[in-house]
Amino acid sequence: MSSSPIILWFRRDLRLSDHPALHEAAETGRPVIPVFLDDEVTTTLGAAPRFRLGLAVEAFGDALGRHGSHLILRRGRALEALRALIAETGARAVWWTRAYDPDSKARDTEVKAALKAEGIDARSFSGAVLFEPWTVETGQGGYYKVYSPYWRAVKDRDPGLPLPRPARIIAPEVWPASDSLSDWRMDAPMRRGAGIVRRWQSPGEDAAADMLGEFLERRVEGYKARRDFLAEDATSGLSEGLTYGEISPRTIWHAGRRAMEEGAAGAEHFLKELVWREFAWHLAHHCPGLATENWRPEWAGFPWETDEDRPEVVAWEQARTGIPAVDAGLREMYVTGRMHNRARMIVASYLTKHLMADWRIGMRWFADCLTDWDWAANAMGWQWVAGCGPDAAPYFRVFNPVGQQEKFDPDQTYIRRWIAEGQGKPPDAAMAYLDAVPRSWGLRADAAYPSPMVTPDAGRRRALAAYEGWKDSGTSGR
């Protein structure tokens, strides 16, 4: 056991710095075999997150290579793949970073129980969140259901200092065989959009660190005041780095705290957004149905439309609703793999309120199109906008997309950036959308921009009427 290798199973923790499992494995002085599995969880990812995961794995493999190590790639069910590696290498330990979504928890529970029964040191470590979800409790001993008190509970809690990169990762005498990442074709579901979205990606730990440094140097001061303006580069851009573990939340937390203590005006609000992600995973752990069931059970009877093939829903997916602020956000996502956070709220509200579509339809579309897709943050975000999720003010929120555009894109810079129709010389970003979408959609720059399917006023009246009717029916529990 003292000299046998440790299999270090990487998942969404693709970094060398502040990695508790890697740090402890390197400290043992034993050989470490880094492994990434294309297993029963990763193969279910939507097109864009699977594509971006492939880029993250490639970048991490390169980083390990520069550190004198190697990333072993295998496909198949996690337990069988790990058993095969144990047999091939003589490893007596398999370590990994904990995950909190239901599918990953089920997989990891099976793996840990089976390997421990076979005498293997199967161990999970922290590293994906600032605080383990079960360690943050209310005064009554339960979990937090509202963000503001959650923030107050953790804002002064010490998550510990980030760990340095290991000075050395000892290699095994013989490396086991590895798949070729190119053979996995993780970009295949993206079809012709892969090359376009790739231009907007900056995968890897070093890129994430650079983004954090640039944000804190140039933009954190105005973060609170300017982050909602759609056309401005006012945010950190770290959502993908967090999603794939290319940077740890603890690293971001301490850097943000330093900026706050040095007087940066927007730093505390930046930390609050980081803790919003933390709150989402806190809920995900305690509410495994967060992505499938209404968080407020009384909303089960709300009359959302569930037909994904309804023409209005198809037009929403194709970013042809006739509402520029909505269509611009959806097109940004299709081209870049990301969407401005304010645009996400506008887009989601229009689908769930003006079009009265079930929030799970939109959540699934985001899960296919976002390169920064995060199981907990997206599930909670969709439920928050729809009105059925955790919220300190449970009223029926309806964003006016025209009013939002006038407030946060007053000169229409964002809209012109992403919508080609109606412009004599559309910018490259707007044209990229037409190049990325399926040809079967038949979209052209010289086509007329559509009239609104549902106007903001009409949609708002319909949504509020449905809400009032639902309340009056007695099925709302109010």
Side-chain angles (χ1 to χ4, degrees):
M1 176 70 81
S2 61
S3 61
S4 63
I6 297 170
I7 291 174
L8 200 55
W9 176 19
F10 287 87
R11 297 98 71 84
R12 289 177 175 263
D13 53 343
L14 300 171
R15 63 180 182 274
L16 299 173
S17 299
D18 196 27
H19 195 295
L22 173 61
H23 181 82
E24 185 160 336
E27 288 288 300
T28 67
R30 293 160 59 184
V32 176
I33 303 175
V35 172
F36 181 84
L37 305 178
D38 191 21
D39 60 22
E40 62 267 34
V41 173
T42 60
T43 54
T44 65
L45 290 173
R50 182 167 172 78
F51 160 72
R52 179 57 172 80
L53 177 61
L55 299 180
V57 171
E58 181 182 33
F60 183 61
D62 292 343
L64 278 172
R66 293 191 297 270
H67 213 67
S69 188
H70 186 56
L71 183 62
I72 302 301
L73 306 178
R74 293 289 178 93
R75 301 189 91 167
R77 286 188 58 81
L79 181 56
E80 283 72 20
L82 292 169
R83 278 173 169 159
L85 283 164
I86 290 167
E88 294 168 29
T89 63
R92 302 304 297 166
V94 179
W95 295 356
W96 62 85
T97 301
R98 278 189 285 276
Y100 308 96
D101 63 282
D103 290 345
S104 295
K105 286 166 73 173
R107 174 198 60 191
D108 296 351
T109 299
E110 177 192 25
V111 167
K112 182 177 283 188
L115 294 186
K116 280 191 170 184
E118 295 162 13
I120 302 298
D121 175 20
R123 199 185 311 178
S124 60
F125 290 75
S126 63
V129 293
L130 289 169
F131 310 107
E132 297 294 355
W134 52 88
T135 67
V136 183
E137 294 184 328
T138 67
Q140 294 72 42
Y143 69 95
Y144 281 92
K145 301 177 183 180
V146 177
Y147 169 75
S148 295
Y150 181 87
W151 160 253
R152 291 193 293 270
V154 304
K155 67 183 181 69
D156 295 319
R157 182 181 289 201
D158 181 12
L161 292 173
L163 298 166
R165 294 188 183 194
R168 182 187 179 200
I169 303 173
I170 297 176
E173 291 184 6
V174 178
W175 285 102
S178 174
D179 289 354
S180 169
L181 184 61
S182 60
D183 290 343
W184 288 3
R185 299 198 62 215
M186 297 181 78
D187 62 344
M190 294 287 287
R191 293 175 286 188
R192 68 185 189 134
I196 292 168
V197 177
R198 178 64 181 91
R199 301 170 200 162
W200 299 82
Q201 307 304 308
S202 299
E205 181 175 1
D206 291 343
D210 289 345
M211 286 181 195
L212 176 61
E214 183 186 26
F215 171 72
L216 293 175
E217 181 180 343
R218 296 179 48 220
R219 300 192 299 279
V220 69
E221 184 71 32
Y223 177 76
K224 182 178 181 180
R226 307 305 301 175
R227 69 189 183 92
D228 283 323
F229 286 85
L230 296 167
E232 295 190 19
D233 181 19
T235 61
S236 70
L238 288 168
S239 57
E240 287 182 358
L242 281 166
T243 292
Y244 302 100
E246 295 165 331
I247 191 168
S248 75
R250 189 159 60 178
T251 295
I252 298 173
W253 175 262
H254 281 285
R257 290 282 298 190
R258 284 195 299 273
M260 186 178 72
E261 290 162 3
E262 291 168 1
E268 183 176 26
H269 205 81
F270 175 61
L271 292 175
K272 286 182 176 180
E273 293 301 317
L274 180 66
V275 172
W276 178 256
R277 172 187 180 270
E278 193 83 3
F279 179 55
W281 282 109
H282 177 81
L283 286 179
H285 170 73
H286 292 286
C287 308
L290 188 65
T292 55
E293 304 295 333
N294 296 305
W295 188 81
R296 296 178 182 273
E298 66 270 19
W299 280 75
F302 190 77
W304 278 307
E305 297 276 356
T306 58
D307 181 6
E308 297 190 42
D309 297 323
R310 194 160 53 105
E312 292 88 350
V313 172
V314 173
W316 178 89
E317 292 175 347
Q318 295 182 357
R320 296 270 295 167
T321 67
I323 304 294
V326 173
D327 294 338
L330 289 162
R331 295 186 187 202
E332 179 190 15
M333 177 173 67
Y334 219 89
V335 171
T336 70
R338 299 180 294 275
M339 189 191 302
H340 192 285
N341 189 62
R342 173 58 56 170
R344 294 185 196 210
M345 291 188 279
I346 298 168
V347 162
S349 181
Y350 189 78
L351 180 72
T352 58
K353 306 298 174 58
H354 293 82
L355 302 185
M356 287 297 295
D358 191 290
W359 58 270
R360 283 158 284 218
I361 294 174
M363 188 191 66
R364 287 191 291 269
W365 187 248
F366 274 25
D368 203 41
C369 297
L370 284 173
T371 52
D372 65 354
W373 177 79
D374 176 287
W375 188 94
N378 280 277
M380 186 176 73
W382 273 96
Q383 294 226 43
W384 183 86
V385 172
C388 55
D391 193 340
Y395 58 91
F396 199 58
R397 180 188 300 105
V398 182
F399 282 91
N400 181 331
V402 174
Q404 291 284 306
Q405 178 262 305
E406 291 172 348
K407 183 175 182 180
F408 296 115
D409 189 34
D411 58 3
Q412 300 191 34
T413 300
Y414 180 77
I415 288 169
R416 288 196 302 271
R417 181 183 299 163
W418 296 113
I419 297 179
E421 298 95 320
Q423 298 195 63
K425 293 183 179 180
D428 291 343
M431 293 300 294
Y433 174 73
L434 305 178
D435 293 334
V437 300
R439 290 186 177 90
S440 61
W441 289 7
L443 304 184
R444 306 189 323 273
D446 60 358
Y449 184 67
S451 299
M453 294 182 305
V454 178
T455 65
D457 287 344
R460 178 181 176 82
R461 288 195 299 270
R462 182 172 68 170
L464 291 177
Y467 179 66
E468 294 300 327
W470 169 67
K471 283 202 304 181
D472 293 343
S473 70
T475 60
S476 68
R478 302 184 181 193

